[in-house]
């Protein structure tokens, strides 16, 4: 079943810019979907339609089968959790602890269950030592981590991430990767917008390429990232492992580093 | 002999209200006309170091300041921020912290107007910068009505247009699409080569900037963890410890045992040239 569906969606900004034009897209339950494309392509605008922050100027968006028109962001967010591209637009509480508590309280968590959820989230994201800090004093990467934690805490069926790896170091990227894998394992759905193609590659997501408010094409990560011409036209570049396979004239790319290591070990 | 343009001497800083210093015992220098890459885990102190170069620390951020930071031979603590701003172009981690005019072109022109440039000169420079960042078509748009990556391009244009001696960039490509990110990296190298610009930049994705850096400084928990030429640094086997993601092509060489103590192929083409041609695969 499609958890989210866009039908002929266009979105015109107040200044007249056509940020989305005629978008049709089905996001299936349990998949990882990557959305890529150049600056201004419409990726963030698309994501903001998924939890009702934006409503289509024409066309319809369906979340779990019902149209977003007339639904509140609060209602939709319980099921579709959006992590913002700019953390400063998401954060507003006085402390890291409160930031995580807020969303949970909104969705009806209370008492001991609330407290335990907050603490386990803080610990899992390695934010416990920062729990009393005003979020505005966190480093850029710490803020982003908090924003992801806040949404994960209430465990929405669909997790929507806008540039989640920005400012993330190695351990945090590993954690994020593991998190996405485990959510998918539990049957949840993950949508990621990212310019970090090295991060996306080993997730082998179904990939949607956007340009000028439209969906240019979609396909497996492999089919998209082995197509240099397409990448160039969409402001993208090949991830290193795809590039390497291509230069070696291999028919299919290395899906992971282990893959590449094995290939070379057998030959040198 | 080239003079050091930026120098940290036994520098430590503790933000007001915090118990432990964000950075401590910092000693390093960046030569005039070179590119230094500052890398390290989230929270390791990179932005704090940058704020200490342009004077936000200690002039705006209160806290406990120890040691010295010199920019162009002058002590930062004794230099007014406006004077530092004239020499140093700065890009914040969040571009929204530095764009505020009604149109993109006014925003990019803002600093030049403040310095009293002729309108004609301003126009020329602004056009140059907009073109450089591929945003000429956004000139009349409001910066608040742009995508985040477009905002980052505007902020970059605004700091480059000032023709600074030193430019300090906090994750300048974090919001850029991969093609533009690569273009900005080349642009930075170009400015260094042609104008002798000194560049200090922070970036998590080593694959993007290692090739243009003259020096990499790695911070870990507020201290300098390692410092050296890019291939020396990338050849190290304890990069994960310092929170760094290793570019796949570098990791591959490590796993295949191809890394000498200080020689490593930086990108795929370099790798192919160095090894694969030899193996005749
Ligand atoms: N205004 C502030 N007040 C108190 N602590 C701060 C403040 N700004 C940063 N810190 C803390 O100082 C340490 C260093 O922060 P800094 O922003 O320099 O890290 P960073 O290396 O730039 O991290 P990132 O890669 O996540 O941007 C962190 O632990 C951070 O939480
Ligand atoms: N608040 C706004 N008001 C008016 N136009 C906007 C606004 N935000 C974005 N736009 C415009 O809408 C289009 C799509 O922007 P969007 O933010 O969706 O792009 P994006 O693909 O997320 O880009 P990026 O990679 O830079 O984040 C762009 O042309 C942009 O300039
Ligand atoms: Mg965006
Ligand atoms: Mg920082």
């Amino acid at each position: 079943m499609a958890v989210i569906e866009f039908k002929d969606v266009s979105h015109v900004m107040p200044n007249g810019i056509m940020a989305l034009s005629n978008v049709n897209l089905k996001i299936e339950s349990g998949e990882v979907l990557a959305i890529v494309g150049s600056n201004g392509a419409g990726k963030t605008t698309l994501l903001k339609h998924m939890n009702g922050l934006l409503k289509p100027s024409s066309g319809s968006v369906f979340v779990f089968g019902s149209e977003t028109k007339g639904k509140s962001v609060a209602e939709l967010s319980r099921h579709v959790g959006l992590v913002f591209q700019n953390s400063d637009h998401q954060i507003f509480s006085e402390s890291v602890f409160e930031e995580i508590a807020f969303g949970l309280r909104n969705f009806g968590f209370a008492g001991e269950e609330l407290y335990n959820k907050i603490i386990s989230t803080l610990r899992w994201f390695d934010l416990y030592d920062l729990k009393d800090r005003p979020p505005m004093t966190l480093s850029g990467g710490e803020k982003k981590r908090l924003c992801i934690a806040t949404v994960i805490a209430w465990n929405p069926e669909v997790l929507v991430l806008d540039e989640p790896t920005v400012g993330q170091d190695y351990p945090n990227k590993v954690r994020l990767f593991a998190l996405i894998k485990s959510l998918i394992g539990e049957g949840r759905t993950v949508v990621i917008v990212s310019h970090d193609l090295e991060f996306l590659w080993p997730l082998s997501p179904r990939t949607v390429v956007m340009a000028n408010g439209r969906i240019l094409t979609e396909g497996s990560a492999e089919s998209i990232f082995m197509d240099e011409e397409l990448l160039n036209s969409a402001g993208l570049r090949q991830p290193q492992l795809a590039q390497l396979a291509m230069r070696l004239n291999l028919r299919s790319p290395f899906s992971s580093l282990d893959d590449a290591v094995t290939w070379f070990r057998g030959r040198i | 002999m080239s003079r050091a343009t930026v120098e940290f001497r036994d520098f430590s800083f503790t933000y007001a209200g915090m118990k432990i210093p964000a950075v401590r015992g910092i000693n390093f220098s960046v030569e005039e006309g070179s590119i230094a890459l500052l890398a390290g885990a989230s929270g390791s102190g990179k932005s704090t170091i940058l704020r200490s170069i342009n004077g936000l620390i200690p002039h705006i951020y209160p806290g406990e300041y120890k040691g010295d930071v010199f920019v162009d031979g002058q002590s930062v603590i004794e230099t007014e921020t406006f004077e530092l701003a004239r020499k140093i172009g700065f890009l914040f981690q969040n571009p929204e912290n530095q764009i505020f005019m009604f149109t993109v072109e006014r925003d990019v022109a803002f600093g030049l107007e403040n310095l009293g440039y002729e309108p004609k000169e301003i126009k020329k420079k602004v056009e140059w910068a907009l073109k450089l960042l591929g945003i000429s078509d956004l000139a009349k748009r409001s910066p608040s009505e742009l995508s985040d990556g477009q905002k980052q391009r505007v902020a970059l244009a605004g700091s480059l247009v000032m023709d600074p001696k030193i430019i300090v960039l906090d994750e300048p490509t974090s919001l850029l699409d991969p093609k533009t990110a690569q273009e900005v990296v080349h642009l930075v190298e170009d400015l260094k080569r042609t104008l002798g610009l000194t560049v200090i930049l922070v970036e998590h994705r080593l694959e993007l900037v290692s090739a243009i850096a003259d020096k990499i400084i790695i911070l870990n928990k507020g201290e300098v963890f390692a410092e050296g030429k890019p291939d020396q640094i990338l050849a190290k086997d304890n990069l994960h410890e310092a929170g760094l993601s290793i570019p796949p092509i570098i990791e591959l060489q490590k796993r295949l045992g191809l890394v000498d103590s200080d020689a490593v192929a930086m990108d795929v083409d370099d790798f192919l040239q160095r090894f694969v041609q030899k193996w005749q695969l």
Side-chain angles (χ1 to χ4, degrees):
Chain A
M1 188 201 67
V3 289
I4 297 179
E5 184 171 4
F6 285 72
K7 274 196 183 150
D8 293 325
V9 172
S10 295
H11 188 91
V12 183
M13 294 287 182
N15 60 0
I17 299 268
M18 187 93 160
L20 294 179
S21 55
N22 258 307
V23 170
N24 285 290
L25 176 68
K26 268 189 188 171
I27 301 171
E28 301 295 334
S29 176
E31 74 170 332
V32 191
L33 179 76
I35 301 167
V36 296
S38 63
N39 292 136
K43 305 179 298 295
T44 296
T45 307
L46 187 77
L47 295 194
K48 286 182 175 169
H49 280 79
M50 295 182 185
N51 73 345
L53 269 175
L54 292 177
K55 303 283 163 65
S57 308
S58 66
S60 316
V61 178
F62 297 89
V63 171
F64 290 101
S66 59
E67 203 173 342
T68 60
K69 204 176 290 171
K71 291 217 156 138
S72 70
V73 178
E75 220 174 323
L76 290 163
S77 292
R78 177 71 190 87
H79 308 286
V80 180
L82 171 64
V83 177
F84 287 38
Q85 184 166 10
N86 187 333
S87 311
D88 289 348
H89 295 179
Q90 188 176 332
I91 289 171
F92 54 87
S93 304
E94 312 230 307
S95 73
V96 167
F97 185 96
E98 274 305 313
E99 187 68 34
I100 294 177
F102 182 85
L104 286 170
R105 272 196 210 105
N106 257 353
F107 295 128
F109 291 89
E112 202 173 338
E113 191 191 10
L114 170 68
Y115 183 80
N116 290 340
K117 265 222 174 300
I118 298 169
I119 296 299
S120 65
T121 305
L122 285 167
R123 289 212 190 280
W124 203 80
F125 282 92
D126 206 10
L127 288 166
Y128 189 81
D129 292 341
L130 301 175
K131 71 180 186 325
D132 301 321
R133 288 268 296 276
M136 286 309 165
T137 69
L138 300 182
S139 78
E142 288 165 348
K143 274 185 203 168
K144 191 82 185 192
R145 183 145 46 106
L146 171 60
C147 289
I148 298 171
T150 301
V151 174
I152 289 296
W154 77 74
N155 203 6
E157 286 98 320
V158 184
L159 179 65
V160 181
L161 304 164
D162 203 348
E163 299 292 348
T165 65
V166 169
Q168 299 307 299
D169 57 14
Y170 174 70
N172 284 301
K173 278 194 190 181
V174 170
R175 174 164 34 215
L176 185 62
F177 191 89
L179 174 73
I180 293 169
K181 284 282 189 198
S182 87
L183 288 172
I184 294 303
E186 291 166 19
R188 309 223 157 223
T189 309
V190 182
V191 180
I192 314 174
V193 162
S194 183
H195 295 303
D196 189 347
L197 308 179
E198 300 297 347
F199 179 81
L200 292 179
W201 181 249
L203 280 170
S204 56
R206 179 160 76 95
T207 303
V208 167
V209 182
M210 289 190 73
N212 299 318
R214 296 172 188 276
I215 292 183
L216 204 59
T217 182
E218 57 179 287
S220 65
E222 183 173 327
S223 69
I224 302 286
F225 289 108
M226 292 301 267
D227 187 342
E228 256 185 319
E229 210 171 305
L230 168 71
L231 295 177
N232 277 331
S233 71
L236 304 169
R237 285 162 51 86
Q238 275 187 312
Q240 286 187 339
L241 291 176
Q243 195 189 353
L244 182 61
M246 187 107 144
R247 294 279 195 280
L248 292 166
N249 289 321
L250 303 185
R251 227 172 278 129
S252 62
F254 302 116
S255 58
S256 66
L257 192 69
D258 286 339
D259 220 24
V261 172
T262 313
W263 191 90
F264 278 102
R265 282 224 176 102
R267 283 170 180 77
I268 60 175
Chain B
M1 205 180 78
S2 62
R3 88 197 124 110
T5 324
V6 174
E7 188 180 353
F8 284 79
R9 277 193 216 152
D10 294 325
F11 175 71
S12 299
F13 183 76
T14 311
Y15 287 99
M18 301 299 293
K19 288 195 197 77
I20 48 167
V23 295
R24 59 175 178 269
I26 303 290
N27 283 292
F28 72 82
S29 58
V30 179
E31 301 294 307
E32 184 179 9
S34 74
I35 299 178
L37 165 63
L38 214 56
S42 177
S44 61
K46 303 179 297 297
S47 296
T48 303
I49 291 290
L50 298 192
R51 289 177 192 135
S52 312
I53 296 171
N54 76 347
L56 284 178
I57 290 175
H59 298 300
I60 305 291
Y61 287 87
E64 193 188 341
Y65 192 99
K66 284 190 192 151
D68 270 308
V69 182
F70 294 95
V71 170
D72 223 6
Q74 268 181 299
S75 158
V76 168
I77 200 166
E78 287 161 11
T79 311
E80 303 272 4
T81 39
F82 77 88
E83 209 175 309
L84 290 163
R86 194 168 291 190
K87 269 187 206 157
I88 307 173
F90 195 80
L91 184 84
F92 287 88
Q93 197 161 354
N94 181 354
E96 285 187 359
N97 293 345
Q98 67 191 109
I99 47 181
F100 43 81
M101 299 299 283
F102 289 120
T103 67
V104 166
E105 65 186 358
R106 289 300 307 277
D107 202 276
V108 175
F110 178 77
L112 295 172
E113 285 170 359
N114 264 359
L115 292 183
Y117 277 81
E118 292 287 316
K120 236 175 149 180
E121 182 78 353
I122 293 179
K123 190 161 179 280
K124 214 172 82 195
K125 281 177 178 279
V126 169
E127 276 171 11
W128 168 80
L130 293 179
K131 190 151 173 260
L132 222 51
L133 275 305
I135 47 174
S136 305
D137 56 330
L138 302 179
K140 307 282 182 214
R141 295 266 301 272
S142 156
S144 63
E145 296 175 350
L146 297 177
S147 79
D148 287 347
Q150 290 168 335
K151 285 177 187 165
Q152 191 163 46
R153 296 195 203 185
V154 174
L156 269 165
S159 47
L160 291 176
V161 80
M162 302 288 288
D163 201 8
K165 283 176 115 169
I166 302 171
I167 189 154
V168 173
L169 306 169
D170 203 347
E171 302 193 32
T173 63
S174 61
L175 301 168
L176 301 182
D177 58 63
K179 200 162 145 212
T180 310
Q182 194 63 51
E183 283 166 10
V184 165
V185 168
H186 288 318
L187 176 66
V188 166
E189 191 186 27
D190 245 29
L191 293 172
K192 168 197 118 158
R193 237 195 4 250
T194 55
L195 305 176
L197 196 65
T198 303
V199 184
I200 300 169
L201 61 83
V202 169
E203 176 60 62
H204 283 281
R205 290 168 299 172
L206 298 179
E207 65 271 12
L208 203 56
V209 286
S210 298
I212 65 156
D214 296 295
K215 178 195 256 190
I216 299 182
I217 299 150
I218 297 179
L219 292 177
N220 191 23
K221 302 193 172 94
E223 293 180 294
V224 175
F225 176 84
E227 180 184 351
K229 289 202 186 311
D231 42 8
Q232 287 170 340
I233 295 288
L234 288 169
K236 285 186 180 298
D237 50 22
N238 55 359
L239 297 180
H240 281 330
E241 256 173 66
L244 295 177
S245 293
I246 305 172
I249 201 72
I250 306 278
E251 184 81 53
L252 178 63
Q253 293 169 71
K254 290 185 176 175
R255 298 267 299 272
L256 295 173
L258 300 172
V259 178
D260 289 338
S261 61
D262 62 352
V264 59
M266 299 283 218
D267 56 29
V268 170
D269 289 325
D270 195 8
F271 174 76
L272 292 171
Q273 256 174 26
R274 222 182 267 209
F275 302 108
V276 176
Q277 283 176 5
K278 191 169 67 193
W279 300 326
Q280 302 189 327
L281 294 178

Coordinates of all heavy atoms in Angstrom, one line a residue, chain A residues 12 25 39 69 101 103 107 119 129 136 176 192 194 198 211 230 237 241 246 256 259 263:
Chain A
V12 N 2.5 26.6 -5.9 CA 2.9 28.0 -6.3 C 3.2 28.7 -5.0 O 2.3 28.8 -4.2 CB 1.9 28.7 -7.2 CG1 2.4 30.1 -7.6 CG2 1.5 27.8 -8.4
L25 N 3.7 10.8 -7.4 CA 4.7 10.0 -6.7 C 4.0 9.1 -5.7 O 3.1 9.6 -4.9 CB 5.7 10.9 -5.9 CG 6.7 10.2 -5.1 CD1 7.7 9.4 -5.9 CD2 7.5 11.2 -4.3
N39 N 20.1 22.5 -6.0 CA 19.5 23.5 -5.1 C 18.3 24.1 -5.8 O 18.4 24.5 -7.0 CB 20.6 24.6 -4.8 CG 21.7 24.0 -3.9 OD1 22.9 24.4 -4.2 ND2 21.4 23.3 -2.9
K69 N -5.6 17.8 2.7 CA -6.4 19.0 2.7 C -7.3 19.0 3.9 O -8.0 18.0 4.2 CB -7.2 19.1 1.4 CG -7.6 20.5 1.1 CD -8.4 20.6 -0.3 CE -7.5 20.3 -1.5 NZ -8.2 20.1 -2.7
A101 N 10.8 16.3 25.1 CA 9.5 16.1 25.8 C 8.3 16.7 25.1 O 7.2 16.1 25.1 CB 9.6 16.7 27.2
G103 N 7.3 17.1 21.9 CA 6.6 16.3 20.9 C 5.9 15.2 21.5 O 4.7 14.9 21.2
F107 N 1.8 14.1 21.7 CA 1.1 12.9 21.2 C 0.7 12.0 22.4 O 0.5 10.8 22.2 CB 2.1 12.2 20.3 CG 2.4 13.0 19.0 CD1 3.7 13.3 18.6 CD2 1.3 13.5 18.3 CE1 3.9 14.1 17.5 CE2 1.6 14.3 17.2 CZ 2.9 14.6 16.8
I119 N 14.4 9.8 28.4 CA 15.8 9.4 28.8 C 16.4 8.4 27.8 O 17.6 8.5 27.5 CB 15.7 8.8 30.3 CG1 15.3 9.9 31.3 CG2 17.1 8.2 30.7 CD1 16.2 11.1 31.4
D129 N 24.3 14.0 28.2 CA 25.2 15.0 28.8 C 24.8 16.4 28.5 O 25.2 17.4 29.1 CB 26.6 14.8 28.5 CG 27.2 13.5 29.2 OD1 26.5 13.0 30.1 OD2 28.2 13.0 28.7
M136 N 20.0 26.3 21.6 CA 20.7 27.3 20.8 C 22.2 27.4 21.0 O 22.9 28.0 20.3 CB 20.0 28.7 21.0 CG 18.7 28.8 20.3 SD 18.8 28.2 18.5 CE 17.1 28.0 18.1
L176 N 23.0 6.9 12.4 CA 21.9 7.2 11.5 C 21.6 6.1 10.5 O 20.5 5.7 10.3 CB 22.2 8.5 10.8 CG 21.1 9.1 10.0 CD1 19.9 9.5 10.8 CD2 21.6 10.4 9.3
I192 N 14.3 10.2 2.5 CA 15.5 11.0 2.8 C 15.8 11.9 1.6 O 16.0 11.5 0.4 CB 16.8 10.2 2.9 CG1 16.6 9.0 3.9 CG2 17.9 11.0 3.4 CD1 17.8 8.1 3.9
S194 N 18.8 14.2 0.4 CA 20.2 14.4 0.7 C 21.1 14.7 -0.5 O 20.9 14.2 -1.6 CB 20.8 13.2 1.5 OG 22.1 13.4 1.9
E198 N 27.4 9.8 -0.9 CA 28.2 8.7 -0.3 C 27.4 8.0 0.8 O 27.6 6.8 1.0 CB 29.6 9.2 0.2 CG 30.5 9.9 -0.8 CD 31.0 9.0 -1.9 OE1 30.8 7.7 -1.8 OE2 31.5 9.5 -2.9
A211 N 14.1 18.1 -10.6 CA 14.7 19.3 -11.3 C 13.6 20.3 -11.6 O 12.5 19.8 -12.0 CB 15.5 19.0 -12.5
L230 N 22.7 11.8 -16.8 CA 21.6 12.2 -16.0 C 22.1 13.0 -14.8 O 21.5 14.0 -14.4 CB 20.8 11.0 -15.6 CG 19.8 11.1 -14.5 CD1 18.6 11.9 -15.0 CD2 19.3 9.8 -13.9
R237 N 26.7 14.2 -8.6 CA 27.9 13.6 -9.0 C 27.9 12.1 -8.6 O 27.1 11.7 -7.7 CB 29.1 14.2 -8.3 CG 29.5 15.6 -8.9 CD 30.3 16.4 -8.0 NE 31.5 15.6 -7.5 CZ 32.6 15.5 -8.1 NH1 32.8 16.1 -9.2 NH2 33.6 14.8 -7.6
L241 N 32.2 4.8 -5.1 CA 32.1 3.4 -5.5 C 31.4 3.1 -6.8 O 31.8 2.2 -7.6 CB 31.4 2.6 -4.4 CG 32.2 2.5 -3.1 CD1 31.4 1.7 -2.0 CD2 33.5 1.8 -3.2
M246 N 32.4 2.1 -12.7 CA 32.1 2.7 -14.0 C 33.5 2.8 -14.8 O 33.6 2.3 -15.9 CB 31.5 4.0 -13.9 CG 31.1 4.6 -15.2 SD 29.3 4.5 -15.2 CE 29.1 6.0 -16.1
S256 N 28.9 -1.9 -1.9 CA 29.4 -1.5 -0.6 C 30.9 -1.6 -0.7 O 31.5 -2.2 -1.6 CB 28.9 -2.5 0.5 OG 29.5 -3.8 0.3
D259 N 32.2 -5.2 -0.9 CA 32.1 -5.6 -2.2 C 33.3 -5.3 -3.0 O 33.9 -6.1 -3.8 CB 30.9 -4.9 -2.8 CG 30.0 -5.7 -3.7 OD1 30.1 -6.9 -3.5 OD2 29.3 -5.2 -4.5
W263 N 36.3 -7.8 -4.6 CA 36.6 -7.8 -6.0 C 38.1 -7.6 -6.3 O 38.7 -8.3 -7.1 CB 35.8 -6.6 -6.7 CG 35.8 -6.7 -8.2 CD1 34.9 -7.3 -9.0 CD2 36.7 -6.1 -9.1 NE1 35.2 -7.2 -10.3 CE2 36.3 -6.4 -10.4 CE3 37.9 -5.3 -8.9 CZ2 37.0 -6.0 -11.5 CZ3 38.6 -4.9 -10.0 CH2 38.2 -5.2 -11.3

